[in-house]
Amino acid sequence: MVITMKKHLLLFAVSVFFCTFAVQAEEIVLPKFGFTAHRGENGVFPENTVIGFQEAVRLGAAQVEFDICRTKDGHIVIMHDNTVDRTTNGKGNVADMTFEEIRKLDAGIKKGERFAGTKVPTFEEALDCLPRNIWINVHVKNSPVEAAEMIIKKKREHQAFLACTRKAALLVKEKYPQIKICNMEREGGDVSKYISNTIAWKCDFIQLLKLGTPEEMKALKDAGVRINYTIAKDPEHYKELRKAGVDFPLVDKASKFVEAAKE
């Protein structure tokens, strides 16, 4: 009886060990290529909103890009422009408004009545609404260290990266070396210098405005740098960029690029 009980306990312990090991060994597989939904699905849906991000995911985005800004009272919200004028029913600079004032705005009404009442999301809400198996491209206008801390808090270091200047990247890396960086120090349009610096600085991503030479594109690949490009004009342009070695072309009106991405 005692021997049988010990045997059962041993088998139970072994099974627990292997189950735990299997869970720990399970890795999230991130896309190697695909389209990046620029500010979410921004064609039909309001840009830089939770519903726009969710629609981009539904369409199959490999990467979602959005912009973060800081309010007067220190909250990080999702907004591309320095002002709220273009995308909401309000007026004013984000930096001059409190979070409460920002939240009272309607970020959907300009895209149609069906989106009325859509709120400007916080950075935390944006991270929370996205799955863990796509890339998250966080374009940083300010508060890079605070953005890094939120990524760590939400356990998104494996997928979220900060698209920022060299100065911001150094600030972040000094404190949080595990944070991924997309180099946005574009050297005044000097593509060759932009590419060589990105490699030298061991950045994880680059976001090109213009393609490098075939040799430069290969050098990025060899260095393990993932290549974004702003912006694919249409599905045919998207295909050309992919053939040239771009991993994740940024696109507006994401629904128009679904078929091209599948090909």
Side-chain angles (χ1 to χ4, degrees):
M1 177 72 176
V2 174
I3 294 173
T4 305
M5 181 63 70
K6 286 182 178 179
K7 184 177 180 181
H8 281 307
L9 287 172
L10 179 61
L11 289 171
F12 176 73
V14 170
S15 66
V16 168
F17 170 79
F18 280 109
C19 285
T20 302
F21 180 79
V23 170
Q24 290 176 341
E26 183 181 354
E27 291 185 7
I28 297 171
V29 178
L30 290 162
K32 293 183 178 179
F33 53 83
F35 69 85
T36 299
H38 185 222
R39 307 177 201 169
E41 201 302 304
N42 64 7
V44 175
F45 286 71
E47 71 173 57
N48 276 335
T49 61
V50 166
I51 54 174
F53 301 150
Q54 291 172 332
E55 178 63 7
V57 172
R58 189 190 71 79
L59 291 170
Q63 185 180 126
V64 169
E65 186 269 356
F66 55 76
D67 312 86
I68 61 173
C69 289
R70 187 178 177 131
T71 65
K72 182 180 179 179
D73 50 350
H75 290 264
I76 301 179
V77 296
I78 311 301
M79 183 73 62
H80 175 268
D81 301 354
N82 292 327
T83 73
V84 300
D85 301 25
R86 180 176 61 84
T87 57
T88 78
N89 62 343
K91 290 187 180 297
N93 294 318
V94 176
D96 296 330
M97 303 175 74
T98 66
F99 178 62
E100 185 178 357
E101 290 170 333
I102 293 279
R103 286 294 251 197
K104 288 178 180 178
L105 301 178
D106 192 323
I109 191 64
K110 288 190 174 182
K111 280 289 188 178
E113 287 292 335
R114 63 184 278 209
F115 301 117
T118 301
K119 302 297 183 186
V120 175
T122 64
F123 184 28
E124 184 171 11
E125 289 168 341
L127 292 176
D128 283 344
C129 81
L130 292 169
R132 294 181 178 272
N133 63 345
I134 66 168
W135 295 103
I136 303 176
N137 181 342
V138 184
H139 191 179
V140 179
K141 306 291 181 64
N142 48 45
S143 306
V145 174
E146 290 85 349
E149 288 171 347
M150 181 59 71
I151 288 171
I152 292 167
K153 175 186 174 183
K154 306 305 291 188
K155 295 180 170 54
R156 299 299 186 114
E157 303 100 305
H158 70 284
Q159 67 179 142
F161 58 91
L162 301 182
C164 60
T165 64
R166 177 63 172 165
K167 181 180 178 180
L170 289 173
L171 284 173
V172 169
K173 284 290 190 179
E174 183 179 6
K175 199 168 183 181
Y176 303 112
Q178 71 270 40
I179 293 295
K180 293 178 172 56
I181 298 293
C182 175
N183 181 25
M184 297 290 276
E185 199 73 55
R186 291 191 172 118
E187 304 298 340
D190 186 335
V191 179
S192 295
K193 189 174 181 181
Y194 180 28
I195 289 173
S196 63
N197 281 349
T198 300
I199 294 171
W201 296 339
K202 301 186 187 313
C203 297
D204 303 278
F205 283 81
I206 190 170
Q207 196 150 300
L208 297 170
L209 296 173
K210 182 180 178 182
L211 293 173
T213 65
E215 293 75 20
E216 289 169 337
M217 299 295 281
K218 183 178 184 301
L220 286 168
K221 297 282 188 184
D222 291 344
V225 179
R226 296 175 177 87
I227 306 172
N228 292 344
Y229 183 98
T230 308
I231 239 170
K233 294 175 285 191
D234 54 48
E236 286 306 311
H237 186 212
Y238 173 91
K239 293 176 187 177
E240 291 170 12
L241 291 171
R242 286 284 301 118
K243 287 178 182 177
V246 175
D247 302 306
F248 305 104
L250 274 70
V251 305
D252 288 319
K253 302 179 180 178
S255 60
K256 295 185 177 182
F257 293 83
V258 173
E259 292 306 314
K262 286 179 181 177
E263 291 179 27

